Amino acid sequence: AAGVIQSPRHLIKEKRETATLKCYPIPRHDTVYWYQQGPGQDPQFLISFYEKMQSDKGSIPDRFSAQQFSDYHSELNMSSLELGDSALYFCASSATPFHGYTFGSGTRLTVV
Amino acid sequence: AQTVTQSQPEMSVQEAETVTLSCTYDTSESDYYLFWYKQPPSRQMILVIRQEAYKQQNATENRFSVNFQKAAKSFSLKISDSQLGDAAMYFCAYRLLSGNTPLVFGKGTRLSVIA
């Protein structure tokens, strides 16, 4: 069965650089969620999209932005990267009516 | 706002024994989902079990079962016949039934399995 695909798997950036993370949800899933998980932390909700419109917003810094495209894939854009942005970034998708979330394998971002 | 509390940062269990992980949550809603997710060292987030709040019967998935006490807002996970592969971080999570709301996670419990 198709899963949620995230790319890249690993990313190393320097401070003040920009990064773009991509998420391809399961076909026919209409909602995408982004989470940030710091080392030893629980996942923190950043932002979600339903049918290509922003649905909910969590603790996403102003330096970050995201969007969902016509093919339902989503991108998380991160600018002016800081050391504290080093984390695992998860994407998850779900369908309506809700039957559960499916998580991607995550993108591990390291800012040096 | 909804909150999820896992009061046990770390737990350990002997192989083949049974362990129970605790989770409490706070919500004013009556319709919601509760989940347990497992995160092994690979950091993949794996769904262990799910409970709909409107269902009185406790969910069971093979060696994993829950004790759902809606009035007490408690949702514990019992792992029977523990295996070495069960060693992981376990997160309890909550979601409203309606809409496209995100998961709210607890801080997690790190489970070690001793051979």
Side-chain angles (χ1 to χ4, degrees):
Chain A
V4 176
I5 306 298
Q6 289 189 248
S7 67
R9 290 296 302 275
H10 302 275
L11 190 59
I12 300 175
K13 291 286 186 177
E14 296 189 352
K15 284 195 305 183
R16 292 179 289 277
E17 284 193 319
T18 61
T20 297
L21 309 186
K22 297 184 178 182
C23 170
Y24 297 85
I26 289 177
R28 292 180 294 280
H29 277 200
D30 51 22
T31 308
V32 168
Y33 310 82
W34 285 97
Y35 288 85
Q36 176 192 57
Q37 187 179 24
Q41 304 293 315
D42 56 299
Q44 294 293 314
F45 170 65
L46 293 178
I47 196 167
S48 63
F49 293 88
Y50 170 66
E51 284 292 344
K52 293 161 280 187
M53 298 288 289
Q54 183 179 307
S55 176
D56 279 288
K57 198 170 184 180
S59 52
I60 184 169
D62 292 340
R63 300 177 289 108
F64 294 7
S65 64
Q67 57 183 321
Q68 187 177 29
F69 295 86
S70 57
D71 65 351
Y72 289 90
H73 94 273
S74 179
E75 294 184 2
L76 178 66
N77 299 292
M78 311 159 71
S79 63
S80 302
L81 287 169
E82 302 173 355
L83 295 178
D85 296 329
S86 295
L88 187 61
Y89 290 83
F90 281 111
C91 172
S93 70
S94 67
T96 304
F98 179 77
H99 291 295
Y101 299 90
T102 301
F103 281 85
S105 298
T107 293
R108 185 180 298 277
L109 173 66
T110 303
V111 181
V112 297
Chain B
Q2 292 81 19
T3 58
V4 177
T5 302
Q6 295 179 248
S7 58
Q8 306 151 316
E10 296 183 354
M11 294 279 286
S12 62
V13 61
Q14 292 278 351
E15 200 175 2
E17 296 296 308
T18 296
V19 64
T20 298
L21 308 184
S22 301
C23 172
T24 58
Y25 57 95
D26 186 25
T27 183
S28 58
E29 304 289 336
S30 58
D31 295 322
Y32 48 86
Y33 294 96
L34 295 164
F35 304 83
W36 278 97
Y37 280 91
K38 170 185 177 181
Q39 191 176 41
S42 67
R43 308 224 40 201
Q44 174 74 46
M45 198 67 76
I46 301 166
L47 177 65
V48 174
I49 200 164
R50 181 178 96 177
Q51 175 81 43
E52 288 86 348
Y54 59 84
K55 291 185 178 179
Q56 292 186 339
Q57 187 172 5
N58 289 323
T60 299
E61 289 288 342
N62 301 313
R63 299 182 294 107
F64 300 87
S65 61
V66 298
N67 183 4
F68 173 47
Q69 301 290 327
K70 191 172 183 179
K73 296 180 183 176
S74 170
F75 184 61
S76 61
L77 174 69
K78 186 172 82 171
I79 306 174
S80 304
D81 186 26
S82 297
Q83 301 175 359
L84 294 177
D86 295 334
M89 197 74 167
Y90 286 81
F91 291 100
C92 179
Y94 163 101
R95 180 199 187 268
L96 280 173
L97 187 73
S98 61
N100 298 288
T101 54
L103 282 170
V104 176
F105 287 91
K107 295 295 184 186
T109 296
R110 183 171 302 282
L111 178 67
S112 301
V113 180
I114 303 165

